[in-house]
Amino acid sequence: MQAEQLRDFVVAKIDDMKGRDVKVLDVHEQTDIAEYMVICSGSSKTHVRSIANYVAAEAKHHGVAPLGVEGHEHSEWVLVDLGDVVVHVMQEAIRDFYELEKLWSRK
């Protein structure tokens, strides 16, 4: 799957699970680790974990095995690394604190 297709796939899967406030950041000029970062919010630890698990499972089902999934222990912020697309699923308070959109926005 091309990076743009994977990005759109991830956004659709987040939408399936009712992820909130989805933001897609094009980071290819800022880093070599990914083309896109997708950030969304979940309403609880269970919701955050469910969104991340669903995205990872659906990606694997469609031939894109996650390179890693981190953060299940506390499920306040779960990261799913799909190579060209890195997905951050966060609770609102954690998202507000870390401000990833601000950190990764183009200057």
Side-chain angles (χ1 to χ4, degrees), residues 45-106:
K45 289 180 181 186
T46 302
H47 192 211
V48 167
R49 186 180 311 116
S50 296
I51 294 168
N53 287 344
Y54 184 70
V55 168
E58 287 294 306
K60 186 175 181 180
H61 181 72
H62 285 84
V64 181
L67 300 175
V69 178
E70 299 291 332
H72 274 141
E73 307 81 42
H74 302 289
S75 296
E76 294 175 341
W77 176 358
V78 180
L79 180 141
V80 181
D81 184 350
L82 298 171
D84 287 337
V85 179
V86 176
V87 184
H88 299 271
V89 186
M90 310 170 90
Q91 288 188 19
E92 286 291 334
I94 299 300
R95 188 171 177 178
D96 291 344
F97 181 79
Y98 286 101
E99 296 183 321
L100 291 183
E101 294 95 334
K102 186 175 178 182
L103 178 68
W104 285 96
S105 66
R106 293 185 200 185

Side-chain angles (χ1 to χ4, degrees), residues 13-58:
K13 297 308 163 191
I14 291 170
D15 188 54
D16 289 349
M17 293 298 291
K18 309 294 186 225
R20 298 187 317 223
D21 195 20
V22 179
K23 300 288 185 210
V24 176
L25 306 176
D26 182 341
V27 296
H28 81 275
E29 291 182 6
Q30 294 146 290
T31 184
D32 292 333
I33 64 168
E35 297 291 315
Y36 298 98
M37 285 191 186
V38 178
I39 304 167
C40 73
S41 297
S43 57
S44 66
K45 289 180 181 186
T46 302
H47 192 211
V48 167
R49 186 180 311 116
S50 296
I51 294 168
N53 287 344
Y54 184 70
V55 168
E58 287 294 306

